[in-house]
Amino acid sequence: MSVIGILNCKMLQDEIVYLIQNDPDISDITIVENGEHNEFVQKLDEVGVSYSLAPMIHSIPDLTDRDNQTDSGAGTSLIVWNLELGLHEKPKILKEEVYRDLEIFAKKADGIYLLYGLCGNVLGHVEDDFKDVCPIVILRDRDGEVVDDCIAATIGGRKQYLNLLKSFHGVGTFIFTPMYEDTIDEFFNYAKDRRGLTEEQIVEMNKFMFEASNYKRVARLETGLHYTKNTEPKLKRFADTYGFEIFDIGGGHQQIFDDCYQKLKDKIIQKETAAA
């Protein structure tokens, strides 16, 4: 039985629910219980997926200690570890955290699916950096390019992302998936905890930055996934606060997430075949 680890930004939890629902090979699922998992397990509950909780990553046995590693049968054991959204505030810290977690995770899994993009251009070499440690697959498009972020992953890659941005004709536009809508307050108010700013100060700071960058609109991207619900009030409050127009765009799909997941499974098979 293979063990697949998923290390992900919580922004991409819907895509993981989708992968779980569409992979009949998964026999059991373990979720790291770190405070970033709550919404994710609620969604698994809603779709009727069973799982177990591990109080911390260190409580999960290493591969060398897992009894089921003697099982030569088919099937996949999945471990999901959601990381906090606030890590994006400082790319250097994001890289340090992801690399540190991968070192730990590599002892628990036969391969790791890293649901991140370049994210400030700090994760582009992660697969090479860990090539002698554990098979890792980051989100890449069909041209082999690491995607810029979760929006690029959702619409098919870097070229599609550039074309979408060009279609806005220079008008600053936020692109929100349902999870972006759901985490608007967390995403834009993170400075409240880290910098000691009040909500009023955060709004004024954001207004200044948005105006300087010519942001005027919010494009709501249809991803094809509907696990995140009741986001409309949060989106409207955000748009009203900054005077933004809201409009809908299509084009979201799961092709990159499917392709990269299968790529990791193929790498694990190759690893197991070579070791046999």
Side-chain angles (χ1 to χ4, degrees), residues 10 25 31 39 58 65 71 75 90 151 153-154 163-164 189 191 193 196 208 212 220 232 238-239 245 276:
K10 66 180 291 184
D25 293 336
I31 314 298
E39 295 169 328
H58 295 289
D65 298 328
D71 183 0
K90 294 184 178 180
I151 301 299
T154 301
N163 290 336
L164 177 59
N189 294 352
D193 297 327
F208 175 80
R220 184 166 46 190
E232 184 69 27
F238 173 74
E245 169 197 354

Side-chain angles (χ1 to χ4, degrees), residues 76-214:
T76 299
S77 179
L78 195 67
I79 305 171
V80 183
W81 187 1
N82 291 270
L83 298 186
E84 65 175 301
L85 180 60
L87 291 172
H88 287 78
E89 188 180 28
K90 294 184 178 180
K92 181 181 178 182
I93 293 177
L94 170 64
K95 180 179 180 180
E96 291 173 353
E97 179 70 28
V98 168
Y99 272 55
R100 181 166 54 247
D101 295 344
L102 287 172
E103 289 281 0
I104 299 169
F105 219 171
K107 300 176 182 179
K108 317 288 182 181
D110 293 297
I112 301 171
Y113 191 11
L114 183 60
L115 268 75
Y116 278 91
L118 290 174
C119 298
N121 205 30
V122 295
L123 296 176
H125 301 290
V126 65
E127 292 168 325
D128 286 338
D129 290 342
F130 280 83
K131 64 182 180 181
D132 296 325
V133 180
C134 178
I136 292 175
V137 171
I138 196 171
L139 294 171
R140 292 180 180 271
D141 61 25
R142 289 194 164 182
D143 292 326
E145 300 286 346
V146 180
V147 300
D148 294 277
D149 53 28
C150 55
I151 301 299
T154 301
I155 62 175
R158 300 181 73 178
K159 290 181 180 177
Q160 292 84 345
Y161 198 12
L162 180 60
N163 290 336
L164 177 59
L165 294 176
K166 286 180 177 178
S167 74
F168 299 147
H169 303 292
V171 179
T173 305
F174 286 108
I175 306 171
F176 282 178
T177 62
M179 272 302 297
Y180 262 110
E181 295 173 34
D182 195 52
T183 58
I184 286 174
D185 292 339
E186 182 178 353
F187 190 79
F188 286 101
N189 294 352
Y190 200 72
K192 185 186 301 182
D193 297 327
R194 288 295 177 93
R195 301 178 188 172
L197 300 178
T198 66
E199 186 170 346
E200 291 75 16
Q201 288 172 322
I202 293 169
V203 169
E204 289 304 312
M205 179 180 68
N206 286 343
K207 282 183 176 179
F208 175 80
M209 292 189 299
F210 297 162
E211 289 174 5
S213 303
N214 194 37

